[in-house]
């Protein structure tokens, strides 16, 4: 058999069927010489199945199918049998085994695996976004973000950004320092997607002192002094007021709790 022709028939995109064909064929023809794999995606009707089988008969192709609906699988099987076309059902036996073992009917909804893939890649994209636009590195991200976080140093902006990114939200965060004018993009953003993070001065003092010790520095540095902290907090409130964003007190609050507050607000706005 010089030429091998495979028709991959699917009610979704046909990626699973093609991967299976390639895995099997590689055991006989690693270079895939004289091998043709043709996808027939999103097949939804008996008429389409019949047309594929007729074409397969003419071209002497082997049909590989991944159909989640039982009626569609049965129709393709009987039609291919009648026309003496070789057809292999990849999903049917496994679905039927799981149905019997679990005593539960399958959903029979095409494309669920592909949807999971889309969700995965969306989450990865959000994580990469959070890294790229962390700590005000590139203010252009503020206008591209789903959520914008502002706050003084050590208010958990970065861990919160990463947590929300794992929920597939693109997050940019901007630190506020009295000596540095905030980026103009911050005042052009929709105030509903911007959240200010505030913490009590005493807690912030304690956190900053521990941070300085970790870095091997004197914990009495200006960075951790109450007067400096108060100055930064006052500056924060001025900026938050200009933006008109909601302010969340993160004092003694876990990142997950703060994230849930933000997620609830976003869902309420949708």
């Amino acid at each position: 058999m010089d030429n091998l022709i495979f028709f991959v028939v699917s009610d979704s995109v046909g990626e699973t069927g093609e991967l299976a064909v390639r895995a099997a064929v590689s055991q006989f023809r690693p270079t895939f010489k004289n091998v043709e794999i043709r996808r027939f995606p999103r097949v939804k009707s008996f008429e389409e199945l019949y047309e594929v089988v007729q074409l397969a008969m003419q071209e002497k192709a082997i049909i590989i199918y991944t159909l989640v609906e039982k009626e569609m699988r049965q129709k393709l099987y009987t039609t291919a049998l009648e026309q003496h076309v070789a057809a292999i059902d990849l999903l049917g036996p496994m679905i039927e085994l799981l149905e019997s073992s679990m005593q539960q009917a399958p959903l029979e909804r095409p494309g669920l695996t592909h949807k999971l893939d889309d969700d995965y890649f969306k989450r990865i994209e959000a994580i990469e976004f959070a890294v790229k636009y962390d700590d005000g590195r590139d203010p252009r991200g503020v206008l591209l973000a789903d959520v914008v976080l502002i706050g003084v140093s050590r208010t958990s902006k970065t861990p919160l950004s990463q947590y929300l990114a794992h929920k597939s939200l693109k997050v940019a965060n901007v630190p506020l320092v009295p000596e540095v004018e905030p980026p103009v993009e911050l005042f052009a953003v929709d105030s509903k997607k911007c959240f200010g993070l505030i913490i009590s001065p005493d807690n912030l003092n304690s956190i900053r002192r521990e941070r300085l010790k970790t870095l091997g520095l004197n914990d009495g540095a200006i960075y951790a002094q109450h007067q400096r902290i108060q100055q930064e907090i006052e500056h924060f409130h001025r900026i938050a007021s200009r933006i008109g964003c909601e302010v969340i007190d993160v004092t003694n609050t876990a990142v997950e709790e703060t994230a849930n507050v933000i997620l609830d607000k976003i869902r309420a706005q949708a």
Side-chain angles (χ1 to χ4, degrees):
M1 195 172 186
D2 292 332
N3 296 318
L4 286 174
I5 303 173
F6 294 92
F7 286 2
V8 177
V9 181
S10 174
D11 43 24
S12 185
V13 295
E15 185 177 18
T16 301
E18 181 172 343
L19 287 173
V21 170
R22 290 187 177 278
V25 172
S26 66
Q27 296 300 312
F28 301 90
R29 297 186 183 178
T31 63
F32 284 85
K33 183 179 180 181
N34 297 327
V35 176
E36 180 183 352
I37 302 173
R38 200 182 308 173
R39 288 197 204 182
F40 292 82
R42 298 183 176 83
V43 174
K44 304 293 185 184
S45 67
F46 291 164
E47 290 76 13
E48 290 175 285
L49 290 179
Y50 182 78
E51 291 172 5
V52 171
V53 172
Q54 290 297 308
L55 188 59
M57 181 178 64
Q58 294 170 19
E59 299 192 19
K60 296 182 173 56
I62 299 170
I63 295 177
I64 307 295
Y65 56 102
T66 55
L67 301 167
V68 297
E69 292 184 27
K70 188 173 184 177
E71 280 190 330
M72 292 286 282
R73 292 198 303 271
Q74 291 176 335
K75 183 65 176 179
L76 179 50
Y77 171 77
T78 55
T79 305
L81 192 65
E82 290 167 359
Q83 302 298 328
H84 305 288
V85 173
I88 301 171
D89 181 4
L90 289 185
L91 288 184
M94 187 177 295
I95 290 176
E96 289 167 7
L97 177 61
L98 289 173
E99 182 177 8
S100 175
S101 299
M102 300 172 66
Q103 294 295 301
Q104 179 181 336
L107 296 174
E108 294 194 348
R109 293 211 307 263
L112 292 180
T113 302
H114 190 61
K115 181 180 184 300
L116 290 175
D117 288 343
D118 288 344
D119 290 343
Y120 170 78
F121 286 115
K122 185 178 179 182
R123 186 165 64 253
I124 294 300
E125 185 182 1
I127 292 169
E128 292 175 346
F129 186 96
V131 172
K132 183 177 181 179
Y133 297 109
D134 181 46
D135 207 31
R137 289 175 188 163
D138 186 346
R140 291 175 298 182
V142 169
L143 298 178
L144 301 173
D146 299 316
V147 175
V148 178
L149 303 176
I150 63 170
V152 301
S153 175
R154 313 311 298 174
T155 49
S156 299
K157 296 184 298 300
T158 295
L160 181 56
S161 295
Q162 285 295 322
Y163 186 93
L164 291 171
H166 279 83
K167 301 295 183 182
S168 300
L169 289 171
K170 293 180 179 178
V171 185
N173 74 75
V174 180
L176 298 182
V177 183
E179 294 78 13
V180 180
E181 185 64 23
V184 293
E185 290 85 354
L186 203 53
F187 302 105
V189 73
D190 182 354
S191 61
K192 291 181 181 178
K193 68 177 185 180
C194 182
F195 296 89
L197 308 179
I198 192 64
I199 189 172
S200 75
D202 288 340
N203 278 61
L204 189 53
N205 169 260
S206 177
I207 292 169
R208 288 188 175 184
R209 286 176 62 189
E210 288 302 316
R211 175 61 175 166
L212 289 170
K213 288 179 184 178
T214 301
L215 296 173
L217 301 174
N218 187 339
D219 65 355
I222 293 176
Y223 176 71
Q225 291 179 3
H226 278 285
Q227 184 177 356
R228 171 62 184 185
I229 288 172
Q230 193 59 48
Q231 181 186 7
E232 290 187 29
I233 289 176
E234 289 173 0
H235 174 70
F236 162 82
H237 281 297
R238 285 195 295 269
I239 299 302
S241 180
R242 282 176 61 187
I243 297 170
C245 65
E246 180 160 350
V247 174
I248 301 173
D249 191 339
V250 298
T251 305
N252 297 323
T253 303
V255 167
E256 294 84 354
E257 294 178 71
T258 307
N260 286 334
V261 171
I262 293 173
L263 290 169
D264 287 344
K265 298 289 183 183
I266 291 172
R267 293 189 191 107
Q269 295 167 13

